[in-house]
Amino acid sequence: MQNQHLQSISKFFTFSTLAMTIACTGSIPLILSSPSSVHAETRQQSVDSVTDWLFGNLNPGLNRRRLQHYEHGYIREWNAIRRVIDQGGLRYSKVGPNGGACGEPDWTFPNKDEALKERLADAVFHSRYPGRRGAPIRPNERAAMREWVKIKNSMSVAYC
């Protein structure tokens, strides 16, 4: 009985540590042989992690759940974000085997890059309105401007 109790506590701490890591880095680390061993993400894993994080910030009502095959609008948004992130939205800096300060991964998203956030906002906005065919928002389209700004403001990743 005592051993089962200790196993339950150990599992609780393992999952608590994993949850804190996810909250701090915005990504799910690869667990190897023990809960304390974390493997650095590849670039593609980091692209997917950052895309998931940004998409989750943009659509908090989804509670970061897995998308269903019939949710075409959300899938278009996720793919639009991923294309921008994959085309220069990540920066590489070798920070060591266990990450840098706050568990920051080797591949990081530059939160202060306003031009990148604008490209992301454009991509998401136009994925939501494919009928616009990429036409810019006109000055009299105030609701569209507010939506674009809201999208842009959601484009950040919390590492700590």
Side-chain angles (χ1 to χ4, degrees):
M1 183 73 154
Q2 176 97 7
N3 193 23
Q4 286 179 338
H5 181 68
L6 289 175
Q7 285 178 340
S8 295
I9 291 172
S10 175
K11 285 181 184 177
F12 170 78
F13 283 119
T14 299
F15 290 118
S16 296
T17 302
L18 180 60
M20 289 299 293
T21 302
I22 292 168
C24 287
T25 66
S27 62
I28 300 174
L30 298 175
I31 304 298
L32 299 175
S33 59
S34 71
S36 61
S37 298
V38 177
H39 183 281
E41 291 184 325
T42 66
R43 183 184 186 285
Q44 291 306 309
Q45 288 169 326
S46 293
V47 167
D48 288 342
S49 294
V50 169
T51 301
D52 287 343
W53 184 262
L54 294 173
F55 179 82
N57 290 349
L58 187 58
N59 298 287
L62 294 176
N63 294 320
R64 299 195 186 276
R65 69 167 170 78
R66 190 173 204 76
L67 295 177
Q68 301 299 312
H69 66 89
Y70 54 83
E71 295 178 298
H72 304 290
Y74 288 136
I75 292 169
R76 266 195 319 272
E77 278 185 31
W78 190 91
N79 284 322
I81 294 168
R82 190 181 193 293
R83 271 190 302 278
V84 173
I85 295 301
D86 195 32
Q87 297 169 356
L90 286 182
R91 302 234 171 89
Y92 182 80
S93 61
K94 189 67 177 165
V95 291
N98 295 323
C102 307
E104 197 171 313
D106 291 340
W107 290 97
T108 59
F109 175 78
N111 282 319
K112 295 186 187 315
D113 187 340
E114 293 302 311
L116 175 57
K117 289 180 179 184
E118 289 173 5
R119 287 196 320 269
L120 285 161
D122 285 344
V124 170
F125 183 83
H126 291 293
S127 77
R128 289 182 180 178
Y129 303 101
R132 292 180 68 97
R133 293 177 172 72
I137 299 170
R138 292 186 304 274
N140 64 335
E141 295 178 296
R142 296 198 187 283
M145 277 190 226
R146 281 192 300 276
E147 182 177 355
W148 186 90
V149 168
K150 184 177 178 184
I151 293 168
K152 180 182 173 237
N153 289 339
S154 76
M155 296 297 162
S156 63
V157 175
Y159 291 109
C160 284

